[in-house]
Each structure stands twice: as C-alpha cells, then as structure tokens.
Amino acid sequence: MILGLTGGIACGKSTVSAMLVAHGAKLVDADQVAREVVLPGEPALAAIVAEFGQAVLQEDGTMNRAEVGKLVFGNAERLAKLESILHPAIRERMWSRIRAYKAENPDQLIVADIPLLYETGQASLYEGVMVVYVPRAVQIERLMQRNSIPREQAEQRVSLQMDIEEKKRLADFVIDNSGTLEETERQIELFLHGQGLSR
C-alpha cells in the first residue's frame, strides 16, 4: 500500500512516521526531498537562480533560504513562481523513490510524509491517507512548548494551515496522537494488523 501521511503542525507526524518505519514501512519524506532538490547542481536550483537572480545563492553555491524567503514573503506572484518550480521537482523525486520501493517489494507499506498533502491536492494520488490528529487546543499548547513561542504566535501559525478537524474528516485513517506514546503505538499496530500488511 502507498499511504499518504499528513496532519497539522505539532500533531506528531514525525513520531507516527518513525513508528511506521520501526514496523518495516519505507518512508519518503517531502521535507527531506524539498531540501535535496535545491542542492547545487539540481535543475530546480538552477531554475530558481534563473528566476530570482544570483542573490539567492550563498558563496558555496547552496541556496540562501533566508534570502528566498524574503523575496517571496508577502508577494503572492513570486511565491506562486517559486512553488511552480519546487512542487513538480519534489513530487517527481518522491514518486521515483516510491516506484523504486514498490519494485523492490510490491507488498510493503510505503509512507509518503507530506505536510500539505490536502492543501496541494495530492490526496487522490495515494491508496489511502492517514491523518495524525490532535485537537487544536493541544496543537497550540505543543507548538508553544516545542518552539518556545507565545500563544498568539502559535495560534497564528496553526491558523495558516487547513483546519485539523477538516483533515480528520477527509482522512481514510486517523491516528489520535493526543494521548500517550503507548496509545499511539497501539493504534499503529491496529492499523497495520487491519491492513494485513507485510513487515
């Protein structure tokens, strides 16, 4: 099964993906791939430089993330241009990895960890979507603790994403991560058992 994994900020998606990997799943992480496609020599980085100029590069030839962030911040047109370069490159690399894992072992669970899976319209590409869920109030508390930020800032960051209740409603599988790690692990085992997935 090729499973899309998503959730909201501070819901514990990386905890759940690590548990799935511990049970033998193969993981393809969108954030990791996003960093790979802008390494020196990558076509996506060349396209970003062509679009935004040499100022987006550091002296060692790597992308200056802060500079790119400044260029697109508050500018919808520039942000859309950046995303039109990055999103296809990320998606293509993820799927080439997924296909390689599938060819290796057609029966294994392959997990694609994509923070903005619903927002970028990718849900239909996967055989199932798992949402890691905690109620909004828990999300805010955990984000405040994790990032040492005030409540107002945490609320603002949570509000930038699709509402977690909506993601939960759309999901094929929900892992409620608001309890203990043992409770989360139990849900993962039930999911794997119910799916009859090979380890």
Side-chain angles (χ1 to χ4, degrees), residues 4 17 35-36 39 49 57 67 73 85 106 119 121 141 176 196:
S17 65
R35 288 189 289 271
E36 287 174 19
L39 289 172
V49 174
L57 289 181
E67 189 58 38
F73 183 74
I85 296 168
E119 292 87 336
E141 289 297 331
D176 186 330

Side-chain angles (χ1 to χ4, degrees), residues 142-172:
R142 286 186 181 173
L143 188 57
M144 284 166 65
Q145 285 175 354
R146 189 185 81 184
N147 292 22
S148 305
I149 55 175
R151 178 173 296 277
E152 193 183 338
Q153 211 176 322
E155 285 174 351
Q156 200 178 6
R157 289 188 64 181
V158 168
S159 297
L160 288 172
Q161 294 189 336
M162 184 194 279
D163 183 61
I164 192 64
E165 297 298 334
E166 177 65 5
K167 288 187 178 181
K168 181 185 180 185
R169 192 184 65 75
L170 292 168
D172 298 301

Side-chain angles (χ1 to χ4, degrees), residues 94-107:
M94 286 188 76
W95 275 97
S96 105
R97 211 156 280 174
I98 288 166
R99 282 191 292 270
Y101 284 142
K102 188 86 175 158
E104 219 174 79
N105 177 358
D107 299 322

